[in-house]
Amino acid sequence: HPSVNVISILSLPLPELSKKLRDGSLPPEHVFYAYVGKALQIATETNCITEYLQESETQLQKVKLTGKLGLLYGVPVSIKDSINCQGHDSTLGFIKNLNKPMAEDSVVVQVLRRQGAIPFVKTNVPQSLISYDCKNLIFGQTFNPLLYTRSPGGSSGGEGALVGGGGSILGFGTDVGGSLRFPAAFCGICALKPTGNRLSKKGIISGVPGQKAVAAAVGPIAKDVESLALGMRALLCEDMFNLDSTVPPLPFNEEVYSSRQPLRIGYYETDFFTMPSPAMRRAVRETKQLLEDAGHTLVPFELMNVDYMLFNFFLRGMFADGATSFLKAFKGELEKSSMGLFFWFLKSPNWLKTVLSWIAKPFVSTSFCGFVSFFSTVDEVWSLHHDIEEFCYQFITQWKKLNLDVMLCPMLGPALGIGYPSKLSVAVSYTTLYNTLDFPVGVVPVTMVTDEDEEELKGYQGYFRDWWDRTLAKAFHGSVGLPVAVQCVALPWQEELCLRFMKEVETL
């Protein structure tokens, strides 16, 4: 329509756009078609969309007629492939899941619709979701909107690319090992992984169904923190608590989010397992300095045994059944897993794993060599659950001893080249920690890779100087100008405090 200024609509931040939609100064269809047009452009460039939700046009008319002004009235939102939308497939990148439309919307999508939001597209994921790249045989590879040779991250990679490219103002994805945080960090935007059960997971398909050792979560992804907060506000309402009684009825706590009290913030620059890139380390240091200058107190936090957590809690927890459920999903599929070597390793018999780990000893980190056999008996799985609980209590004790409110940590970055995530499954150490602990954690971009960072990278050797460290150094290479983020962490159920801290980091 010639009278519609698409550029000005697309440049509005979500809180402002939402206000204009609600007070009637912007017609919902102008906003809707502005985003449909932009989404189409970004999809052409990055291959991030799997499906256009045709019924969104009918919903647009309905929203106008009812006149009920929900918190997201008229806001077009994007939805990750694995979050059920009635009448559409949730493929997880598997061919066998094609043409199996879902009978009903997931609770999250139902609540979004009741709040006036208009889900209009579904976005791409890696085959099986258990990967931080974004590629499958049905829809192909998704590219990073900032640099097409880079991965957009995963598994919510389609969301990262679409929101990062400006084709969606608010998206929803899931995270079991960093699946919201990688795309946000790689594409230069923000995301929040809440505590596992803060938002309903009813109607959301998991990569390893039934797995309870490591908590998955559903959460928002957007350009800025205020938009994430609005997304959380909209979902944390009576409708969600009624539709899913397993979710604690905790409405959004405005007082905590808007508080201006100085914070006591723990921080660390490395987990002593994956050596941070120079830009990652600098991102934490500079953010720490800005926070101190703004009157907050920063306290060093000593991380212990991250390699043990990664191999014995996260990976063993995810695949405690000997990876049977995970591998079953690939039955009859053309095996093109984006997990590369790791997938092949899972499939090999135990005796071969043992032999391989002995052969690999001189080349890879010692912890990996311990990670050869999975559990099979129930008592071993229970004992693992117990160990994870103990690990969590110890971590909280250390946190409370330092009297912390929140924590500042590195986030893997900059974006790795396409194909690198499948070779570097161990580089998930910075993110998986907070799924294992089930803490809320968000990602905020704070800086960009400089020429100095690139120069310093030449001396990068990693902690183990093994094949993985050498590959990671290559993956970081040539990234000047790409965004680098930090992680902001709070204790379980403290999403509002986490967002408040993220807002502080973003502002500074």
Side-chain angles (χ1 to χ4, degrees):
H1 199 286
S3 72
V4 179
N5 186 339
V6 171
I7 311 272
S8 77
I9 290 175
L10 294 174
S11 66
L12 288 173
L14 179 59
E16 216 173 306
L17 177 81
S18 152
K19 194 171 156 294
K20 285 190 184 314
L21 279 162
R22 285 157 57 106
D23 68 19
S25 58
L26 255 184
E29 55 270 43
H30 290 189
V31 174
F32 180 78
Y33 289 109
Y35 272 100
V36 167
K38 185 66 178 175
L40 183 61
Q41 179 210 325
I42 299 300
T44 310
E45 293 169 11
T46 65
N47 186 33
C48 56
I49 290 174
T50 59
E51 216 175 338
Y52 171 58
L53 309 183
Q54 200 76 50
E55 70 277 11
S56 53
E57 301 181 31
T58 322
Q59 202 203 331
L60 179 66
Q61 300 313 317
K62 265 199 206 139
V63 158
K64 282 178 63 190
L65 289 172
T66 58
K68 178 175 171 279
L69 298 181
L71 279 181
L72 293 171
Y73 172 77
V75 175
V77 297
S78 48
I79 307 289
K80 183 179 182 173
D81 167 278
S82 58
I83 300 175
N84 292 351
C85 292
Q86 186 178 0
H88 298 274
D89 297 337
S90 294
T91 67
L92 276 68
F94 288 126
I95 291 163
K96 65 159 83 82
N97 295 338
L98 277 173
N99 303 321
K100 292 190 178 159
M102 292 300 155
E104 67 171 353
D105 284 334
S106 55
V107 167
V108 161
V109 170
Q110 289 182 53
V111 177
L112 287 170
R113 291 195 203 277
R114 291 184 191 191
Q115 286 282 20
I118 300 171
F120 75 117
V121 287
K122 288 197 88 176
T123 54
N124 205 20
V125 294
Q127 188 181 29
S128 87
L129 306 185
I130 310 294
S131 159
Y132 65 106
D133 204 345
C134 191
K135 175 189 181 188
N136 60 65
L137 284 179
I138 306 170
F139 303 107
Q141 173 76 51
T142 298
F143 305 96
N144 191 312
L146 307 174
L147 186 60
Y148 300 155
T149 55
R150 297 289 161 129
S151 167
S155 61
S156 314
E159 282 301 323
L162 184 61
V163 175
S168 168
I169 198 163
L170 180 64
F172 290 88
T174 58
D175 187 313
V176 76
S179 290
L180 272 162
R181 288 163 286 160
F182 283 113
F186 285 11
C187 299
I189 51 179
C190 301
L192 174 73
K193 175 207 86 67
T195 313
N197 214 31
R198 185 80 199 258
L199 296 176
S200 172
K201 287 180 283 196
K202 189 167 184 266
I204 294 176
I205 300 176
S206 141
V208 186
Q211 178 279 122
K212 288 275 193 279
V214 180
V218 56
I221 185 164
K223 276 261 164 74
D224 54 67
V225 180
E226 203 60 71
S227 305
L228 300 177
L230 184 56
M232 290 298 285
R233 241 182 235 121
L235 288 173
L236 293 170
C237 63
E238 282 307 316
D239 279 332
M240 186 181 69
F241 309 139
N242 290 335
L243 288 165
D244 184 353
S245 303
T246 67
V247 172
L250 292 171
F252 191 86
N253 189 329
E254 294 295 345
E255 201 180 322
V256 171
Y257 179 60
S258 55
S259 156
R260 288 285 157 262
Q261 288 291 99
L263 296 166
R264 198 172 155 84
I265 304 164
Y267 75 95
Y268 54 88
E269 289 179 13
T270 176
D271 64 5
F272 297 106
F273 176 69
T274 304
M275 185 180 273
S277 64
M280 280 167 75
R281 205 181 275 269
R282 184 173 58 76
V284 174
R285 279 185 191 161
E286 289 179 0
T287 307
K288 169 196 177 268
Q289 194 52 57
L290 289 168
L291 285 160
E292 278 181 330
D293 296 347
H296 301 286
T297 307
L298 277 100
V299 185
F301 189 92
E302 196 63 43
L303 265 197
M304 321 273 214
N305 302 344
V306 165
D307 52 349
Y308 190 85
M309 175 283 303
L310 179 64
F311 292 114
N312 289 288
F313 295 161
F314 181 78
L315 287 172
R316 275 198 159 148
M318 289 282 290
F319 305 113
D321 60 349
T324 312
S325 332
F326 175 71
L327 293 170
K328 197 159 64 186
F330 287 86
K331 269 223 161 45
E333 292 289 315
L334 289 165
E335 281 170 5
K336 279 280 171 77
S337 171
S338 36
M339 296 182 71
L341 289 169
F342 185 60
F343 182 73
W344 182 80
F345 182 78
L346 287 178
K347 282 173 59 182
S348 50
N350 273 347
W351 65 266
L352 183 57
K353 286 181 188 147
T354 312
V355 172
L356 285 170
S357 74
W358 276 103
I359 296 170
K361 244 193 181 115
F363 310 105
V364 298
S365 88
T366 44
S367 319
F368 182 74
C369 300
F371 168 68
V372 286
S373 61
F374 291 101
F375 302 109
S376 49
T377 62
V378 175
D379 64 323
E380 286 176 318
V381 178
W382 283 0
S383 149
L384 169 79
H385 288 178
H386 174 72
D387 291 346
I388 291 175
E389 269 173 17
E390 284 303 305
F391 172 67
C392 183
Y393 291 139
Q394 282 165 9
F395 198 96
I396 292 172
T397 304
Q398 190 182 346
W399 179 298
K400 295 257 164 102
K401 205 180 261 170
L402 296 170
N403 196 18
L404 305 179
D405 295 308
V406 287
M407 182 114 79
L408 171 72
C409 332
M411 173 63 209
L412 190 77
L416 307 184
I418 282 168
Y420 273 109
S422 63
K423 298 176 187 153
L424 290 163
S425 42
V426 292
V428 297
S429 58
Y430 287 100
T431 49
T432 52
L433 174 62
Y434 296 108
N435 295 91
T436 306
L437 290 165
D438 196 14
F439 284 17
V441 49
V443 152
V444 184
V446 293
T447 186
M448 286 174 181
V449 180
T450 62
D451 290 316
E452 293 77 53
D453 294 329
E454 195 65 30
E455 189 52 42
E456 209 184 310
L457 187 62
K458 290 178 180 163
Y460 183 97
Q461 288 184 310
Y463 290 117
F464 301 95
R465 304 189 174 195
D466 59 11
W467 178 85
W468 271 323
D469 282 336
R470 289 191 292 279
T471 309
L472 191 54
K474 278 188 206 140
F476 285 142
H477 186 67
S479 305
V480 174
L482 286 178
V484 179
V486 291
Q487 291 190 93
C488 301
V489 187
L491 289 174
W493 309 107
Q494 310 246 327
E495 283 68 21
E496 296 84 349
L497 182 59
C498 184
L499 285 162
R500 191 240 132 149
F501 176 37
M502 289 168 73
K503 181 91 185 121
E504 190 75 6
V505 167
E506 177 186 65
T507 309
L508 294 172

